Amino acid sequence: MLPNDSDISKELIFFLKDRLGINDTSIFLDEYNLSNKEENLIKEFIDLKSQGFPLDYILQNTSFYKDDFYVDPRVLVPRPETELLVDYINGLNLKAGMKILDAGTGSGCIGISIAKYNPSITVYGIDYSLDALEVAQINKKNKLLDNFYLINSDWLNCIQERTINILVSNPPYIAPLDPHLENLKYEPIKALVADDNGLKDFKTITKQAKNVLSPDGILVFEHGYNQSMNVENILIESGFKNIYLMKDHQSQPRITTARLA
Ligand code: GLN
């Protein structure tokens, strides 16, 4: 589905303000004489938008957890519901020296938003995609954090046993033939889609998490609105306990937490 015209014009106004410093009044009063370069920029914008290209990629900027992050098509545009993962973890009684792992960090927005508000803990952002790690590195550099580290790893393969206190992940969870993918064609497919009806990466991460987490460790997953029962069963099969489900702003079951003890 393409965005409708009124969405495009709202976003165009935003874009013009961002790129050309044109203010609302001059747009509406038609007072502004566009240069050729500016006109081309606008044509390109309308072209990209009418193909469904996300505004955040055009601006190379997104807002997440009250902060700005660099994004481009090498990573997903963070979704508002993913902020709830950060909210949950930042609301825990985190002790100095704790280690938190953000598995499938993408732009780094989850890990960085935890590291920023908890300077006495260490956060590791891991990703299999070197492209994604380059984006996360840009964000890490922009934030000047010294407690956020990036690691290239196929899920938890490179992580030592029993070293992590909290593992958080928003893995790919969309089923390969899900019709929603039609609207997500500019985002990296590997960050969105998982085999086994979207459940494959929950299974892999859960099995590995059992070894990587400390005995009192916590696992925090974001999942699809209709996957909570499947995710709960995957966790139970691996011996996780104290499983809690949280809803997102649309009252959809979206986050599951579990403990080893
Ligand atoms: N929540 C995202 C969406 O609906 C999917 C993110 C993911 O697969 N991890 O587009």
Side-chain angles (χ1 to χ4, degrees):
M1 198 181 68
L2 294 177
N4 66 38
D5 286 353
S6 85
D7 281 345
I8 292 187
S9 58
K10 261 191 245 147
E11 292 185 348
L12 177 60
I13 290 170
F14 193 83
F15 172 76
L16 293 174
K17 284 203 283 190
D18 182 79
R19 284 296 154 89
L20 309 177
I22 300 177
N23 67 43
D24 283 355
T25 327
S26 55
I27 292 168
F28 290 119
L29 294 180
D30 215 6
E31 278 169 354
Y32 192 87
N33 287 325
L34 292 168
S35 68
N36 276 349
K37 197 174 156 212
E38 288 166 344
E39 213 173 298
N40 287 338
L41 206 61
I42 291 170
K43 277 188 190 140
E44 198 191 350
F45 174 87
I46 291 173
D47 197 36
L48 286 169
K49 277 310 301 177
S50 56
Q51 292 169 51
F53 198 71
L55 178 67
D56 304 58
Y57 287 155
I58 300 175
L59 301 174
Q60 296 196 319
N61 187 273
T62 196
S63 172
F64 183 83
Y65 211 73
K66 306 180 278 278
D67 206 351
D68 284 327
F69 287 84
Y70 172 86
V71 284
D72 68 28
R74 291 176 289 180
V75 295
L76 287 190
V77 175
R79 312 293 200 257
E81 57 267 26
T82 303
E83 293 178 333
L84 297 173
L85 290 173
V86 179
D87 251 346
Y88 173 75
I89 292 173
N90 285 351
L92 295 172
N93 181 19
L94 301 176
K95 303 208 168 56
M98 275 188 163
K99 293 185 167 66
I100 298 189
L101 186 73
D102 171 15
T105 195
S107 63
C109 63
I110 298 174
I112 287 172
S113 304
I114 297 168
K116 179 178 160 183
Y117 290 96
N118 300 282
S120 66
I121 61 158
T122 305
V123 183
Y124 301 92
I126 61 166
D127 213 294
Y128 181 62
S129 159
L130 292 173
D131 273 350
L133 287 172
E134 277 175 23
V135 174
Q137 179 63 25
I138 294 171
N139 285 314
K140 173 184 154 75
K141 231 173 142 186
N142 287 345
K143 307 294 171 203
L144 304 170
L145 292 171
D146 57 9
N147 63 333
F148 179 69
Y149 298 92
L150 290 166
I151 301 171
N152 182 219
S153 177
D154 186 1
W155 291 125
L156 315 183
N157 282 350
C158 298
I159 312 300
Q160 258 188 307
E161 290 194 0
R162 306 261 163 271
T163 51
I164 300 299
N165 301 98
I166 300 173
L167 197 152
V168 56
S169 187
N170 171 21
Y173 57 67
I174 300 181
L177 297 175
D178 189 308
H180 291 107
L181 291 169
E182 176 60 24
N183 299 333
L184 305 173
K185 55 180 185 269
Y186 295 103
E187 297 190 78
I189 190 94
K190 280 192 177 142
L192 288 167
V193 170
D195 282 339
D196 205 353
N197 216 11
L199 298 171
K200 181 162 183 263
D201 293 313
F202 291 118
K203 292 181 181 172
T204 309
I205 298 167
T206 302
K207 272 203 197 107
Q208 295 187 319
K210 217 186 147 186
N211 301 321
V212 157
L213 281 171
S214 60
D216 58 351
I218 309 175
L219 179 52
V220 185
F221 273 142
E222 176 181 322
H223 48 71
Y225 70 96
N226 54 359
Q227 291 174 323
S228 58
M229 289 300 286
N230 304 88
V231 170
E232 183 175 342
N233 288 334
I234 292 166
L235 289 163
I236 291 170
E237 270 169 36
S238 278
F240 279 88
K241 303 186 177 82
N242 291 312
I243 298 170
Y244 285 101
L245 177 63
M246 284 177 280
K247 294 189 171 165
D248 64 18
H249 299 306
Q250 268 76 48
S251 300
Q252 299 285 5
R254 182 66 63 186
I255 291 172
T256 294
T257 71
R259 291 172 188 255
L260 279 175

